[in-house]
Amino acid sequence: MIEQLAGSWNYIIVVILMMTGLFMVIARANLVKKMIGLSIFQTSVFIFYISLGKMAGGTAPILDGNPDTLYSNPLPHVLILTAIVVGVATTALGLALILRINEAFGSVEEDEIIAAKASQSLARPKRPTSEAAE
Amino acid sequence: MMGAAILTNLPALLVVVPLLLAPFSAVLPIAGLAWVLALVGTGISFLAALMLQSVTENGVRISYHLGNWEPPWGIEFVVDSASSLTLVVMSALGFLATLAARRLVAIEIADKDSGKFYAAWLLVVGGLFGLVMTADAFNLFVFLEISALASVILIGTGAGTDRRALVAGYHYLVIGAVGATFYVIGVGFVYAITGTLNMGDMASRLPDAAGGAALYVGFGFMVAGMLVKAAIFPVHIWLPAAYGYAPSAVSTLLAAIATKAALYVLARIFFTIFGGTPDIVDIALSNIIVPLAVGGIFVGTIMAIYEADIKKMFAHSSVAQIGYIALGLALATPAGISAGFIHIGNHALIKGGIFMAIGGFVAALGARASLETITGIGRRMPITATAFLICGLSLAGLPLTAGFISKLYLVRAILETDSYAILALVLISSALSVVYLWKVMEVMWMQPAPARSPKLIENPAIYLPLWMVALGNIWFGIDASWIVGAARLAATALLGGGA
């Protein structure tokens, strides 16, 4: 039992991180904290993929001419490079939206935003009379 | 020589043309020019999709190797009868939505932002096309995020008229990112079992692979992730606010094509990737997807009945309509899957038209369209309101409209499987949908406009594309042979096993 746990400790960490991140996304009312949770959640998946590609005793996949050399699988690592880029883009866009939300509502707390929405939910048209003016 | 090169590279061009035009659009200082670029991009995609459809009509399956790398090492694009039908529907409505966008965007988006707006628009369209064609499970995730992040930007631009668009965009971003990450976890498990990312390879290796629990976990995560993207109950919660507060042009584009791509990917997961392990798929479809689809139909319809804001009302109704499509696909019979595909096409026509018409109302009124503001608008804006009426009747499923064909084939498919309980629920929900449609139509046509209301001017730049869509609803209601034939081929291609 203990041996089995010790053998897959990286996957246990993955699950713990994943649940921590997901819990933050769901439970936190602060929009910035939600983004942090999302990042932790995505990072756990990165570690999951990297663990998949690692061979016990394997080295970096650079050919050295020796047929007995054991290599790690580089493909999951490359995939995660792409996923990291996507993750960074998601975080950047999320933070940009939070900035705009803060300007528009004066808060980044979800409950306060909901309260603000209820108190003043009138549309603000850019051009008051639209087509009639033309 | 040149022509042949273009023809053989059509699948790549469909994605590359919109994606390449996007950065040019972003730096263009003149709003009109950026719109022309978007129109050219979606127009070329539409032509390319039509050509691909004519090639795949006889059951031909095009396998395109990006950069000439042989699959499974390289990324493969697959165009068969199923994906080409989806592509034609999406590109046609994408083109019409772009046509109508000029006026709607000029009113709702600041001129200096228009270039960037159309850049995001092209990214959404290109990303969704890639999503439909790619046969690489991880490449699919990349296209998923390209289109999702660009849609968030488009939704957020609604902040110019209503600040709630920002919150709607944020929620879509977070919920969508969690969904996409779920999908990636699933792909990780399936990759660990099969050692490949190519969908066709996965399908052929899964039946013999000793997957055990990992297989179930991988399948569950992949499906759960795509359910979020397809906005299937109960993970549809991002959709009503996102469609409701986005600028009118964006609601039109997203409602017509965005969830369709995700629904198609769901079908690919069920019938292509896991086509060789039907036992899991059957359990998931009959015990999970069918109840969720029926649940979505009812929740969407009932929420729409209690909604006073017109855009949000029809966004809730989209949740119900997505339920009908998912129900058709989940029946997993040839008749059911073709009913699903028929409704993918018809629902794109219906909702594209409805959101375009609402855009027309909003543009003329200069205010959000609610039951209150559109009172008596039937007489004040007869051209737009009549097209809206046609699309509404099509949504209700009146004979001689496209919506009737969808309901007819769905009901026939359900009858074939002898599930009378589901049939009864579908018929009850159809009747319920008449309730909210009646509420809108009654306010629009039978109540007088408020006294001293200013004259409303209808703009041909909005109602011409709208009428094309409305006439499409009638055309495909009278002569449905094209879509029915194409949908049948699509079902055969999907169930034929293997990618």
Side-chain angles (χ1 to χ4, degrees), chain A residues 11-121:
Chain A
Y11 292 105
I12 294 166
I13 300 279
V14 166
V15 172
I16 291 172
L17 281 179
M18 198 181 278
M19 292 304 119
T20 313
L22 203 54
F23 177 79
M24 279 177 78
V25 172
I26 297 167
R28 292 287 161 222
N30 185 306
L31 299 186
V32 181
K33 286 182 183 167
K34 265 185 199 291
M35 280 321 289
I36 297 173
L38 187 64
S39 288
I40 295 175
F41 177 59
Q42 289 177 328
T43 308
S44 75
V45 181
F46 303 162
I47 300 175
F48 169 62
Y49 265 73
I50 293 167
S51 299
L52 278 183
K54 174 68 184 162
M55 301 277 285
T59 169
I62 302 166
L63 275 179
D64 58 3
N66 180 0
D68 296 330
T69 315
L70 201 58
Y71 299 112
S72 287
N73 182 356
L75 184 68
H77 301 181
V78 178
L79 295 179
I80 279 326
L81 216 55
T82 314
I84 289 172
V85 174
V86 172
V88 169
T90 309
T91 313
L93 184 58
L95 292 176
L97 272 173
I98 293 171
L99 271 180
R100 292 288 311 274
I101 290 173
N102 193 29
E103 279 170 23
F105 292 90
S107 168
V108 291
E109 296 287 336
E110 208 160 34
D111 42 352
E112 288 174 25
I113 293 169
I114 292 168
K117 280 203 292 196
S119 66
Q120 189 221 341
S121 58

Side-chain angles (χ1 to χ4, degrees), chain B residues 41-73:
Chain B
T42 49
I44 291 176
S45 313
F46 180 42
L47 289 180
L50 277 181
M51 282 177 176
L52 285 174
Q53 211 262 337
S54 69
V55 175
T56 55
E57 217 162 21
N58 313 315
V60 178
R61 178 176 168 283
I62 304 172
S63 160
Y64 181 84
H65 306 163
L66 281 182
N68 268 338
W69 288 89
E70 289 286 318
W73 297 283

Side-chain angles (χ1 to χ4, degrees), chain B residues 485-499:
Chain B
R488 218 169 256 151
L489 278 174
T492 323
L494 264 183
L495 287 176

Side-chain angles (χ1 to χ4, degrees), chain A residues 25 31 34 41 45 49 52 73 75 79 86 93-94 97 104 110 116-117 120-121 124-127 130-131 134, chain B residues 103 106-107 109-110 138 145 149 152 160-161 163-164 170-171 173-174 181-182 184-185 188 191 363-364 366 459:
Chain A
V25 172
L31 299 186
K34 265 185 199 291
F41 177 59
V45 181
Y49 265 73
L52 278 183
N73 182 356
L75 184 68
L79 295 179
V86 172
L93 184 58
L97 272 173
E110 208 160 34
K117 280 203 292 196
Q120 189 221 341
S121 58
R124 296 181 292 140
K126 198 182 77 188
R127 294 175 196 168
S130 72
E131 322 246 333
E134 292 178 9
Chain B
R103 212 40 233 155
I107 292 165
I109 312 289
F138 198 83
E145 285 303 77
L149 293 181
V152 169
T161 48
R163 59 181 179 162
R164 285 172 290 182
Y170 178 85
H171 281 151
L173 177 77
V174 172
T181 311
F182 267 39
V184 175
I185 298 171
Y191 174 74
N459 195 311

